[in-house]
Amino acid sequence: MKSICEQRWITIAVVTATFVLATSYSESPPLLAVSPCPFTSIFSFGDSLADTGNLYLASYHPSEDCFLPPYGETFFHHVSGRCSDGRLIIDFIAEALGLPLVKAYKEKKNAEGGTNFAVIGATALEPSFFEQRGISLPTNYSLTDQLNWFKELLPSLCNNLTDCQEVLGNSLFLMGEIGGNDLNYLFFQQKSIADVKTYVPYVINAIASAIHELIGVGARTLIVPGNLPIGCSVIYLTIYETLDKKQYDQSGCLKWLNEFAEYYNHELQSELERLRTLHPHANIIYGDYYNAALPLYRDPKKFGFIGLKACCGKGGPYNFNELVKCGDPSVNVCDNPSKYIAWDGIHLTEAAYKLIAQNFIKGQHSQPQFNSLCLPNENFGYFNG
């Protein structure tokens, strides 16, 4: 596969535009008041935590519960291709930066305002990597596919490397969350933690290679999220339910799975530090989704949540059944999703995603701190680079 810089450039006029806050997308006040940033667009890669419609709009896709009601009921009031009752973290990042919601690659005709390449179920590694190891996946989409889509879109943005460095330098790149599914699929098959750890270097290397390639063509600011506290995830609490109380923390989360997430995030941050040394002129931001989400589980009542149960599901102590998932007509749907962290047992509610995004953007859960890049001046702020 050729690198981005080796692609043949098609001469097309550079598309430039300045976007204002799309208030039509929001039924509530802005997520937070930050100084306006010079970002004119967002390019997003990832899985179901970021997909805003690519798998939904694909000409072929496997049966997916996220494409049935009650998904989308809270904000869009209809199915939107998102695996939640409403908006995702990427939607709140766009809102905070005064940009329109980022449309899916499969939906867009051009790259104005950025593009979302994320796909539900996608992995960082290619499916062939797992097939060679005797592991079957429920997806054919990987980070490589998403990068290829980005390459196909490049000619509509710029006609040479210099132009791309200017246009992409004013864009924000959201690298996931991606890589979580690579490990989830292994845990879902109840592979040992020692076995799963052997995959971590390969996953991180795939993410690092994509970052290196994007920076090479002009990306300047990249957010690279880590893994969430998966020990608090309803599907894991169901699969690995045990009578051994010592395996749970005070919040009811599985300690060993959260410790694995911490291990993965540590390894990812170490790799990001290496990339910062290689690319001193790029802003590579670690998105600490783990610690941004953890307070919701530690003190749910503080945020108006009731605990670990899923809003939409059926059966068991966590209102979740792997065989009867949200979207099935027989499931139970809570009256108020904003009181729940978990939406369908795998994904979170809009309310939870909003708080995680808020903690990430204006809090201490990014290294370097994300909002330090947006500094006020009379020209609507400037990039601190």
Side-chain angles (χ1 to χ4, degrees):
M1 180 183 71
K2 292 183 178 180
S3 69
I4 295 176
C5 297
E6 292 173 320
Q7 301 300 305
R8 180 179 179 182
W9 302 92
I10 302 174
T11 304
I12 299 178
V14 177
V15 179
T16 58
T18 302
F19 296 91
V20 296
L21 180 63
T23 55
S24 61
Y25 284 106
S26 178
E27 297 178 354
S28 60
L31 180 62
L32 56 105
V34 298
S35 301
C37 302
F39 301 119
T40 58
S41 56
I42 297 175
F43 293 98
S44 171
F45 305 81
D47 53 29
S48 60
L49 292 183
D51 187 356
T52 56
N54 280 312
L55 189 61
Y56 180 67
L57 295 167
S59 58
Y60 167 79
H61 55 73
S63 175
E64 178 59 55
D65 295 317
C66 297
F67 306 154
L68 301 170
Y71 285 89
E73 67 173 23
T74 295
F75 182 77
F76 301 98
H77 309 303
H78 59 77
V79 171
S80 70
R82 292 166 172 80
C83 288
S84 177
D85 62 307
R87 291 167 291 181
L88 307 175
I89 293 174
I90 182 177
D91 297 317
F92 291 114
I93 291 175
E95 180 185 282
L97 296 176
L99 296 172
L101 301 189
V102 186
K103 291 185 178 181
Y105 171 76
K106 295 290 187 179
E107 177 184 2
K108 298 204 66 176
K109 302 299 182 183
N110 57 56
E112 291 184 1
T115 304
N116 191 349
F117 305 100
V119 183
I120 294 168
T123 53
L125 296 165
E126 295 186 44
S128 59
F129 177 90
F130 293 93
E131 291 170 4
Q132 291 168 3
R133 289 159 177 79
I135 298 171
S136 60
L137 300 183
T139 181
N140 290 321
Y141 291 101
S142 68
L143 184 54
T144 297
D145 296 306
Q146 297 176 36
L147 283 172
N148 287 338
W149 289 347
F150 176 72
K151 296 170 187 178
E152 292 174 5
L153 198 65
L154 272 177
S156 68
L157 288 169
C158 40
N159 65 332
N160 57 54
L161 184 58
T162 300
D163 284 345
C164 275
Q165 288 177 336
E166 179 180 350
V167 175
L168 301 183
N170 290 325
S171 300
L172 178 65
F173 286 77
L174 181 60
M175 298 300 299
E177 191 271 345
I178 187 71
N181 282 333
D182 300 65
L183 310 171
N184 288 336
Y185 293 141
L186 299 171
F187 279 128
F188 291 164
Q189 297 178 38
Q190 300 194 36
K191 300 290 185 181
S192 72
I193 195 164
D195 189 10
V196 177
K197 279 187 174 181
T198 65
Y199 288 77
V200 170
Y202 296 101
V203 172
I204 291 177
N205 182 64
I207 296 170
S209 296
I211 293 170
H212 179 77
E213 198 167 353
L214 289 168
I215 291 174
V217 76
R220 189 177 179 189
T221 304
L222 305 95
I223 299 173
V224 188
N227 209 342
L228 289 162
I230 59 175
C232 304
S233 176
V234 167
I235 187 171
Y236 279 127
L237 289 168
T238 301
I239 293 174
Y240 291 103
E241 185 180 4
T242 175
L243 295 176
D244 184 1
K245 294 182 178 180
K246 293 181 181 180
Q247 293 199 33
Y248 297 93
D249 64 18
Q250 60 185 6
S251 303
C253 303
L254 286 164
K255 291 189 288 188
W256 66 274
L257 276 166
N258 276 352
E259 288 169 357
F260 173 82
E262 291 173 353
Y263 162 77
Y264 171 82
N265 291 339
H266 177 270
E267 295 301 300
L268 176 62
Q269 290 179 77
S270 296
E271 179 61 23
L272 296 184
E273 193 59 40
R274 187 187 72 84
L275 287 171
R276 291 186 186 108
T277 301
L278 290 175
H279 305 286
H281 299 297
N283 290 279
I284 303 174
I285 303 165
Y286 171 65
D288 191 357
Y289 284 8
Y290 181 94
N291 284 303
L294 208 56
L296 280 58
Y297 297 103
R298 291 286 182 261
D299 192 0
K301 291 183 179 179
K302 177 182 177 181
F303 302 97
F305 296 127
I306 65 169
L308 294 172
K309 286 187 176 181
C311 168
C312 183
K314 184 177 182 179
Y318 304 102
N319 192 37
F320 178 78
N321 184 329
E322 287 186 85
L323 301 178
V324 187
K325 297 180 181 178
C326 183
D328 187 289
S330 69
V331 303
N332 305 310
V333 185
C334 67
D335 294 331
N336 188 354
S338 67
K339 292 185 178 296
Y340 289 75
I341 301 171
W343 164 243
D344 59 7
I346 301 174
H347 310 97
L348 307 185
T349 60
E350 173 178 302
Y353 283 136
K354 181 172 183 177
L355 287 169
I356 294 170
Q358 192 171 40
N359 288 341
F360 162 72
I361 297 170
K362 72 174 184 179
Q364 301 298 317
H365 301 302
S366 59
Q367 293 89 36
Q369 196 162 336
F370 177 67
N371 62 7
S372 68
L373 299 177
C374 306
L375 304 176
N377 71 6
E378 60 185 4
N379 295 318
F380 301 100
Y382 60 89
F383 184 81
N384 183 27

Short mmCIF file of all heavy atoms in Angstrom, two decimals, residues 99-135:
data_model
loop_
_atom_site.label_atom_id
_atom_site.label_comp_id
_atom_site.label_asym_id
_atom_site.label_seq_id
_atom_site.Cartn_x
_atom_site.Cartn_y
_atom_site.Cartn_z
N LEU A 99 -18.09 23.85 15.44
CA LEU A 99 -18.16 23.24 14.11
C LEU A 99 -19.42 22.40 13.97
O LEU A 99 -19.99 21.95 14.97
CB LEU A 99 -16.93 22.35 13.87
CG LEU A 99 -15.58 23.06 13.83
CD1 LEU A 99 -14.45 22.04 13.79
CD2 LEU A 99 -15.50 23.97 12.62
N PRO A 100 -19.88 22.18 12.74
CA PRO A 100 -21.04 21.31 12.54
C PRO A 100 -20.71 19.88 12.95
O PRO A 100 -19.54 19.50 13.01
CB PRO A 100 -21.29 21.38 11.02
CG PRO A 100 -20.50 22.56 10.54
CD PRO A 100 -19.35 22.72 11.48
N LEU A 101 -21.74 19.09 13.22
CA LEU A 101 -21.52 17.68 13.47
C LEU A 101 -20.83 17.07 12.25
O LEU A 101 -21.17 17.39 11.11
CB LEU A 101 -22.83 16.96 13.74
CG LEU A 101 -23.67 17.45 14.93
CD1 LEU A 101 -24.82 16.51 15.18
CD2 LEU A 101 -22.82 17.61 16.18
N VAL A 102 -19.86 16.20 12.49
CA VAL A 102 -19.04 15.67 11.41
C VAL A 102 -19.80 14.54 10.70
O VAL A 102 -20.15 13.53 11.30
CB VAL A 102 -17.69 15.14 11.95
CG1 VAL A 102 -16.80 14.73 10.79
CG2 VAL A 102 -17.01 16.21 12.79
N LYS A 103 -20.00 14.72 9.42
CA LYS A 103 -20.77 13.74 8.65
C LYS A 103 -19.90 12.54 8.26
O LYS A 103 -18.69 12.64 8.11
CB LYS A 103 -21.35 14.39 7.40
CG LYS A 103 -22.44 15.41 7.71
CD LYS A 103 -23.08 15.94 6.44
CE LYS A 103 -24.20 16.91 6.75
NZ LYS A 103 -24.84 17.42 5.51
N ALA A 104 -20.57 11.42 8.10
CA ALA A 104 -19.89 10.19 7.71
C ALA A 104 -19.37 10.28 6.28
O ALA A 104 -19.96 10.94 5.42
CB ALA A 104 -20.86 9.01 7.84
N TYR A 105 -18.26 9.61 6.04
CA TYR A 105 -17.66 9.58 4.70
C TYR A 105 -18.66 9.07 3.66
O TYR A 105 -18.72 9.58 2.54
CB TYR A 105 -16.43 8.67 4.74
CG TYR A 105 -15.83 8.36 3.40
CD1 TYR A 105 -15.08 9.31 2.70
CD2 TYR A 105 -16.00 7.10 2.82
CE1 TYR A 105 -14.52 9.02 1.47
CE2 TYR A 105 -15.45 6.81 1.58
CZ TYR A 105 -14.71 7.77 0.91
OH TYR A 105 -14.17 7.47 -0.32
N LYS A 106 -19.45 8.07 4.02
CA LYS A 106 -20.41 7.49 3.09
C LYS A 106 -21.57 8.44 2.77
O LYS A 106 -22.32 8.21 1.82
CB LYS A 106 -20.97 6.18 3.67
CG LYS A 106 -19.96 5.07 3.82
CD LYS A 106 -19.53 4.51 2.47
CE LYS A 106 -18.65 3.29 2.63
NZ LYS A 106 -18.23 2.72 1.33
N GLU A 107 -21.71 9.48 3.56
CA GLU A 107 -22.80 10.44 3.38
C GLU A 107 -22.39 11.66 2.59
O GLU A 107 -23.18 12.27 1.88
CB GLU A 107 -23.34 10.86 4.75
CG GLU A 107 -24.44 11.89 4.73
CD GLU A 107 -24.84 12.33 6.12
OE1 GLU A 107 -24.23 11.86 7.11
OE2 GLU A 107 -25.78 13.14 6.23
N LYS A 108 -21.12 12.03 2.68
CA LYS A 108 -20.66 13.33 2.16
C LYS A 108 -20.33 13.31 0.68
O LYS A 108 -19.91 12.30 0.13
CB LYS A 108 -19.44 13.81 2.95
CG LYS A 108 -19.74 14.04 4.42
CD LYS A 108 -18.77 15.01 5.03
CE LYS A 108 -18.92 16.37 4.43
NZ LYS A 108 -18.06 17.37 5.05
N LYS A 109 -20.49 14.47 0.08
CA LYS A 109 -20.10 14.67 -1.32
C LYS A 109 -18.78 15.43 -1.41
O LYS A 109 -18.13 15.44 -2.44
CB LYS A 109 -21.19 15.45 -2.07
CG LYS A 109 -22.55 14.78 -2.04
CD LYS A 109 -22.53 13.41 -2.70
CE LYS A 109 -23.91 12.78 -2.70
NZ LYS A 109 -23.91 11.42 -3.26
N ASN A 110 -18.40 16.10 -0.33
CA ASN A 110 -17.13 16.83 -0.29
C ASN A 110 -16.61 16.81 1.13
O ASN A 110 -17.23 16.24 2.02
CB ASN A 110 -17.31 18.26 -0.80
CG ASN A 110 -18.36 19.03 0.00
OD1 ASN A 110 -18.26 19.15 1.21
ND2 ASN A 110 -19.38 19.53 -0.69
N ALA A 111 -15.47 17.44 1.35
CA ALA A 111 -14.80 17.36 2.65
C ALA A 111 -14.96 18.62 3.47
O ALA A 111 -14.24 18.83 4.44
CB ALA A 111 -13.31 17.08 2.43
N GLU A 112 -15.89 19.48 3.12
CA GLU A 112 -16.08 20.71 3.89
C GLU A 112 -16.49 20.38 5.32
O GLU A 112 -17.39 19.60 5.55
CB GLU A 112 -17.14 21.59 3.22
CG GLU A 112 -16.70 22.17 1.88
CD GLU A 112 -17.76 23.11 1.31
OE1 GLU A 112 -18.79 23.30 1.97
OE2 GLU A 112 -17.54 23.63 0.21
N GLY A 113 -15.81 20.99 6.27
CA GLY A 113 -16.10 20.75 7.67
C GLY A 113 -15.51 19.48 8.22
O GLY A 113 -15.66 19.15 9.38
N GLY A 114 -14.81 18.74 7.36
CA GLY A 114 -14.20 17.48 7.79
C GLY A 114 -15.05 16.29 7.43
O GLY A 114 -16.13 16.41 6.85
N THR A 115 -14.58 15.13 7.79
CA THR A 115 -15.25 13.88 7.44
C THR A 115 -14.97 12.84 8.51
O THR A 115 -13.89 12.79 9.09
CB THR A 115 -14.77 13.36 6.08
OG1 THR A 115 -14.96 14.37 5.09
CG2 THR A 115 -15.52 12.11 5.66
N ASN A 116 -15.96 11.99 8.75
CA ASN A 116 -15.82 10.92 9.72
C ASN A 116 -15.67 9.59 8.99
O ASN A 116 -16.55 9.18 8.24
CB ASN A 116 -17.06 10.89 10.62
CG ASN A 116 -16.87 9.98 11.82
OD1 ASN A 116 -15.91 9.22 11.90
ND2 ASN A 116 -17.79 10.05 12.77
N PHE A 117 -14.54 8.92 9.22
CA PHE A 117 -14.26 7.65 8.57
C PHE A 117 -14.50 6.46 9.50
O PHE A 117 -14.34 5.31 9.08
CB PHE A 117 -12.81 7.61 8.09
CG PHE A 117 -12.43 8.77 7.20
CD1 PHE A 117 -11.74 9.86 7.71
CD2 PHE A 117 -12.78 8.78 5.85
CE1 PHE A 117 -11.40 10.94 6.89
CE2 PHE A 117 -12.45 9.85 5.04
CZ PHE A 117 -11.76 10.92 5.55
N ALA A 118 -14.87 6.71 10.74
CA ALA A 118 -15.04 5.65 11.72
C ALA A 118 -16.13 4.67 11.30
O ALA A 118 -17.11 5.05 10.66
CB ALA A 118 -15.38 6.25 13.08
N VAL A 119 -15.95 3.41 11.67
CA VAL A 119 -16.91 2.36 11.32
C VAL A 119 -17.20 1.50 12.55
O VAL A 119 -16.27 1.08 13.24
CB VAL A 119 -16.39 1.45 10.19
CG1 VAL A 119 -17.44 0.43 9.80
CG2 VAL A 119 -15.96 2.26 8.98
N ILE A 120 -18.46 1.27 12.80
CA ILE A 120 -18.87 0.39 13.90
C ILE A 120 -18.15 -0.96 13.77
O ILE A 120 -18.15 -1.57 12.71
CB ILE A 120 -20.39 0.18 13.88
CG1 ILE A 120 -21.12 1.50 14.17
CG2 ILE A 120 -20.81 -0.89 14.88
CD1 ILE A 120 -22.60 1.44 13.88
N GLY A 121 -17.54 -1.38 14.85
CA GLY A 121 -16.89 -2.69 14.88
C GLY A 121 -15.50 -2.74 14.32
O GLY A 121 -14.85 -3.79 14.35
N ALA A 122 -15.00 -1.62 13.78
CA ALA A 122 -13.69 -1.62 13.11
C ALA A 122 -12.55 -1.93 14.07
O ALA A 122 -12.61 -1.64 15.26
CB ALA A 122 -13.45 -0.28 12.43
N THR A 123 -11.50 -2.51 13.52
CA THR A 123 -10.29 -2.81 14.27
C THR A 123 -9.13 -1.96 13.77
O THR A 123 -9.17 -1.44 12.66
CB THR A 123 -9.91 -4.30 14.09
OG1 THR A 123 -9.85 -4.60 12.70
CG2 THR A 123 -10.94 -5.19 14.76
N ALA A 124 -8.11 -1.83 14.60
CA ALA A 124 -6.89 -1.14 14.17
C ALA A 124 -6.10 -2.03 13.23
O ALA A 124 -5.55 -1.57 12.23
CB ALA A 124 -6.05 -0.75 15.38
N LEU A 125 -6.06 -3.32 13.55
CA LEU A 125 -5.36 -4.29 12.71
C LEU A 125 -6.29 -4.82 11.62
O LEU A 125 -7.51 -4.82 11.78
CB LEU A 125 -4.87 -5.45 13.57
CG LEU A 125 -3.82 -5.10 14.63
CD1 LEU A 125 -3.70 -6.24 15.64
CD2 LEU A 125 -2.48 -4.80 13.98
N GLU A 126 -5.71 -5.27 10.53
CA GLU A 126 -6.52 -5.81 9.45
C GLU A 126 -7.06 -7.19 9.83
O GLU A 126 -6.41 -7.94 10.55
CB GLU A 126 -5.69 -5.89 8.17
CG GLU A 126 -5.26 -4.52 7.65
CD GLU A 126 -4.56 -4.59 6.31
OE1 GLU A 126 -5.05 -5.32 5.45
OE2 GLU A 126 -3.52 -3.93 6.15
N PRO A 127 -8.26 -7.52 9.35
CA PRO A 127 -8.85 -8.83 9.66
C PRO A 127 -7.93 -10.00 9.34
O PRO A 127 -7.96 -11.02 10.05
CB PRO A 127 -10.12 -8.86 8.80
CG PRO A 127 -10.49 -7.42 8.65
CD PRO A 127 -9.18 -6.69 8.56
N SER A 128 -7.12 -9.86 8.30
CA SER A 128 -6.21 -10.95 7.93
C SER A 128 -5.23 -11.28 9.04
O SER A 128 -4.78 -12.43 9.18
CB SER A 128 -5.45 -10.58 6.65
OG SER A 128 -4.70 -9.40 6.84
N PHE A 129 -4.88 -10.27 9.85
CA PHE A 129 -3.97 -10.48 10.97
C PHE A 129 -4.56 -11.51 11.94
O PHE A 129 -3.86 -12.40 12.43
CB PHE A 129 -3.70 -9.16 11.70
CG PHE A 129 -2.83 -9.27 12.91
CD1 PHE A 129 -1.46 -9.14 12.80
CD2 PHE A 129 -3.38 -9.51 14.17
CE1 PHE A 129 -0.64 -9.24 13.93
CE2 PHE A 129 -2.58 -9.61 15.29
CZ PHE A 129 -1.21 -9.48 15.17
N PHE A 130 -5.85 -11.37 12.19
CA PHE A 130 -6.52 -12.29 13.11
C PHE A 130 -6.78 -13.64 12.45
O PHE A 130 -6.68 -14.69 13.11
CB PHE A 130 -7.84 -11.67 13.59
CG PHE A 130 -7.65 -10.44 14.44
CD1 PHE A 130 -7.64 -9.18 13.87
CD2 PHE A 130 -7.46 -10.56 15.81
CE1 PHE A 130 -7.46 -8.06 14.65
CE2 PHE A 130 -7.28 -9.43 16.61
CZ PHE A 130 -7.26 -8.18 16.02
N GLU A 131 -7.13 -13.61 11.18
CA GLU A 131 -7.41 -14.85 10.46
C GLU A 131 -6.19 -15.77 10.46
O GLU A 131 -6.31 -16.99 10.59
CB GLU A 131 -7.84 -14.55 9.03
CG GLU A 131 -9.20 -13.87 8.93
CD GLU A 131 -9.50 -13.37 7.53
OE1 GLU A 131 -8.66 -13.62 6.63
OE2 GLU A 131 -10.55 -12.74 7.34
N GLN A 132 -5.01 -15.18 10.32
CA GLN A 132 -3.77 -15.97 10.33
C GLN A 132 -3.54 -16.64 11.68
O GLN A 132 -2.78 -17.60 11.78
CB GLN A 132 -2.58 -15.06 10.00
CG GLN A 132 -2.58 -14.56 8.56
CD GLN A 132 -1.56 -13.45 8.33
OE1 GLN A 132 -0.80 -13.08 9.24
NE2 GLN A 132 -1.54 -12.91 7.12
N ARG A 133 -4.22 -16.13 12.70
CA ARG A 133 -4.09 -16.68 14.05
C ARG A 133 -5.32 -17.49 14.46
O ARG A 133 -5.51 -17.79 15.63
CB ARG A 133 -3.82 -15.54 15.04
CG ARG A 133 -2.42 -14.95 14.87
CD ARG A 133 -2.30 -13.55 15.44
NE ARG A 133 -0.93 -13.06 15.31
CZ ARG A 133 -0.41 -12.58 14.19
NH1 ARG A 133 -1.14 -12.56 13.07
NH2 ARG A 133 0.83 -12.15 14.15
N GLY A 134 -6.15 -17.79 13.44
CA GLY A 134 -7.31 -18.63 13.70
C GLY A 134 -8.44 -17.95 14.43
O GLY A 134 -9.27 -18.62 15.06
N ILE A 135 -8.51 -16.62 14.34
CA ILE A 135 -9.56 -15.86 15.03
C ILE A 135 -10.44 -15.19 13.99
O ILE A 135 -9.96 -14.43 13.15
CB ILE A 135 -8.94 -14.81 15.97
CG1 ILE A 135 -8.11 -15.51 17.05
CG2 ILE A 135 -10.03 -13.95 16.61
CD1 ILE A 135 -7.29 -14.56 17.89
#
